């Protein structure tokens, strides 16, 4: 791997820059998870059809995908800071839209804008955190980039669930606090060192394309079904679980919705940390098996109406999510040069968020004709098939290596 670029205009101490970048990256995903328990509250307040709820949930993922396609590699050319500062300013605007939203159309617009901001920032932050990591902690930087999305999503859902349970102004409280956090985060990024020297090609990088360097393509292709299974499972928990709890289990609690949505991504983040010492390939295989088993347990919980099984499956599947995603990132990241990282991470997250958002929209459209129970069971069957294919692909490539 080429030497790291020389860092210039350092206003914060190196470790503070690393820790601050990682914290702001995680905060973006806390904000992304925050609306999850609120969507069913908005549905009760504004009386829109159930399929609109999944559109509101998935509009974030679609905005993120658009930003990844157009701007995923931009920071490799302009430097990290301009992209990150611009993205955080857009995120602040999205938070303020949530605060003042009078109806679901504003929420959908805010979610889309939030997705655009997160998509533009994700690959740049993923590269920046790794590049700012102290030399002796480079693996820690890679682990953080793989667990921050899942951990942030879960924490955001949990905190919003608490706010719903104990306040009648949860939306204003949550999104005002997040707007303030993003303002502080913008200052942190602006005071951090730049790690990439600007180079020609920024305009051409805005042409939508997937950028996977040749030396990483085999691993990337083998990881696709792994990401599909893990992120589809994440979409099930973040997008459909509040509706399952209300309509299948007959329970009505903002705190319960937030806590349940928290379980799977929190387990994913924890697994990403504690399994970081395992070889990357073994971590992916363990993760794929966890997604497979966890999905089966979740299916059993939904079919029998048992919340305990839903939680147990969320924990098992979450461990699988965290292990498979972090292992895949650790497998592929060392294969590319520093100036190729943002483009590679953009490609990984493109697969991830297609799997996170599009199946949830399809599921929302199927609820009316197929029923919620039938839709969830069919969704789970698709996750099981992808997880099995992922395990097979990883086994084959490990034998080849």
């Amino acid at each position: 791997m080429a030497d790291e670029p020389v860092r210039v205009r350092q206003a914060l101490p190196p470790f503070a820059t690393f820790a601050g970048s990682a914290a702001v990256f995680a905060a973006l995903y806390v904000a992304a998870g925050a609306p999850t328990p609120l969507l069913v509250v908005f549905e009760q307040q504004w009386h829109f059809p159930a399929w609109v709820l999944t559109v509101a949930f998935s509009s974030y993922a679609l905005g993120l995908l658009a930003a990844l396609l157009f701007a995923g590699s931009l920071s490799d050319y302009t430097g990290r800071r301009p992209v990150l500062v611009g993205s955080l300013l857009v995120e602040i605007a999205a938070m303020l839209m949530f605060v003042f939203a009078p109806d679901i159309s504003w929420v959908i617009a805010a979610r889309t804008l939030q997705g655009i901001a997160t998509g533009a920032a994700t690959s740049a932050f993923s590269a920046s955190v790794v590049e700012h990591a102290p030399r002796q902690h480079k693996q820690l930087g890679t682990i953080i980039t793989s667990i921050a999305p899942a951990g942030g999503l879960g924490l955001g859902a949990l905190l919003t669930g608490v706010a719903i349970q104990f306040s009648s102004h949860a939306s204003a409280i949550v999104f005002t606090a997040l707007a303030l956090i993003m303002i502080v985060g913008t200052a942190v990024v602006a005071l951090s060192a730049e790690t990439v020297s600007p180079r020609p090609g920024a305009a051409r990088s805005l042409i939508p394309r997937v950028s996977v360097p040749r030396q990483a393509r085999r691993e990337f292709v083998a990881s696709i079904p792994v990401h599909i299974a893990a992120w589809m499972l994440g979409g099930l928990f973040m997008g459909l679980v509040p509706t399952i709890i209300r309509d299948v289990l007959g329970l009505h609690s903002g705190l319960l919705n937030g806590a349940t949505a928290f379980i799977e991504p929190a387990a994913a983040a924890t697994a990403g940390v504690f399994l970081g010492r395992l070889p990357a390939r073994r971590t992916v295989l363990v993760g794929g098996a966890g997604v497979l088993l966890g999905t089966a347990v979740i299916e059993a919980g939904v079919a029998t109406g048992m919340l305990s099984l839903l939680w147990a499956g969320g924990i098992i599947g979450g461990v699988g999510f965290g292990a498979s995603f972090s292992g895949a990132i650790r497998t592929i990241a060392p294969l590319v040069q520093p100036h190729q990282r943002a483009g590679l991470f953009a490609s990984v997250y493109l697969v991830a968020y297609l799997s996170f958002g599009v199946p949830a929209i399809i599921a929302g459209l199927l609820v009316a004709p197929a029923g919620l129970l039938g839709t969830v069971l069919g969704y789970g069957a698709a996750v099981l098939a992808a997880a099995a294919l992922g395990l097979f692909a990883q086994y084959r490539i490990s034998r080849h290596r």
Side-chain angles (χ1 to χ4, degrees):
M1 182 179 293
D3 291 336
E4 296 292 334
V6 176
R7 298 172 178 174
V8 296
R9 295 178 60 189
Q10 179 100 7
L12 292 177
F15 189 80
T17 300
F18 168 59
S21 298
V24 180
F25 183 35
L28 272 176
Y29 283 91
V30 171
T36 296
L38 281 167
L39 293 178
V40 291
V41 175
F42 293 151
E43 183 185 10
Q44 293 170 344
Q45 290 177 350
W46 296 328
H47 307 290
F48 51 80
W51 64 267
V52 176
L53 186 147
T54 56
V55 171
F57 168 77
S58 299
S59 58
Y60 160 81
L62 298 181
L64 187 147
L65 287 171
L68 280 175
L69 280 172
F70 284 95
S73 302
L74 183 61
S75 74
D76 284 338
Y77 298 89
T78 64
R80 310 299 185 210
R81 283 191 308 182
V83 173
L84 293 176
V85 169
S87 300
L88 289 170
L89 292 175
V90 174
E91 180 77 7
I92 292 168
M95 297 300 98
L96 295 177
M97 288 182 68
F98 278 117
V99 172
F100 297 107
D103 55 42
I104 191 61
S105 63
W106 273 59
V107 171
I108 292 174
R111 285 288 280 171
T112 304
L113 196 62
Q114 181 184 36
I116 291 170
T118 308
T122 289
S123 58
F125 258 130
S126 297
S128 179
V129 170
V130 172
E131 289 157 1
H132 280 300
R135 189 170 297 276
Q136 67 272 27
H137 297 303
K138 288 297 181 184
Q139 186 175 6
L140 175 61
T142 305
I143 291 172
I144 288 173
T145 63
S146 64
I147 67 172
L153 287 171
L155 184 59
L158 177 62
L159 294 177
T160 302
V162 172
I164 292 170
Q165 191 70 28
F166 297 105
S167 172
S168 58
H169 304 287
S171 182
I173 292 171
V174 167
F175 293 112
T176 299
L178 286 169
L180 294 174
I181 290 170
M182 295 305 162
I183 291 171
V184 174
T186 304
V188 169
V189 170
L191 295 173
S192 298
E194 180 58 78
T195 57
V196 172
S197 299
R199 60 192 178 101
R204 289 188 61 190
S205 75
L206 297 176
I207 300 172
R209 65 180 181 273
V210 174
S211 175
V212 181
R214 184 163 54 100
Q215 66 270 27
R217 287 175 189 168
R218 185 179 180 88
E219 288 288 356
F220 178 79
V221 171
S223 71
I224 287 176
V226 174
H227 295 320
I228 290 174
W231 284 85
M232 277 188 70
L233 180 59
L236 173 65
F237 247 76
M238 299 299 294
L240 293 175
V241 153
T243 305
I244 293 169
I245 290 174
R246 185 190 64 189
D247 295 345
V248 176
L249 305 183
L251 302 173
H252 301 270
S253 167
L255 181 59
L256 182 61
N257 286 342
T260 305
F262 167 77
I263 285 174
E264 191 263 357
T270 303
V273 172
F274 288 100
L275 297 179
R277 294 187 178 183
L278 287 179
R281 179 80 59 203
R282 187 179 301 172
T283 306
V284 178
L285 291 169
V286 169
V291 170
L292 195 68
L293 177 59
T295 303
V297 175
I298 291 168
E299 293 278 83
V302 172
T304 60
M306 294 180 63
L307 181 63
S308 58
L309 283 179
L310 192 64
W311 281 33
I315 293 171
I316 298 169
V319 170
F321 183 130
S324 62
F325 191 65
S326 65
I329 292 291
R330 287 195 288 124
T331 298
I332 201 170
L335 301 179
V336 300
Q337 301 299 319
H339 67 275
Q340 298 171 320
R341 284 182 185 140
L344 176 64
F345 283 127
S347 302
V348 170
Y349 281 106
L350 181 67
V351 173
Y353 275 93
L354 277 172
S355 308
F356 187 70
V358 174
I361 293 178
I362 295 172
L365 296 174
L366 291 175
V367 167
L372 180 61
L373 181 60
T375 299
V376 172
L377 293 178
Y379 189 109
V383 176
L384 290 171
L389 180 59
L391 283 172
F392 176 72
Q394 290 296 316
Y395 173 76
R396 284 199 63 183
I397 199 170
S398 66
R399 289 291 299 271
H400 174 78
R401 293 296 182 194

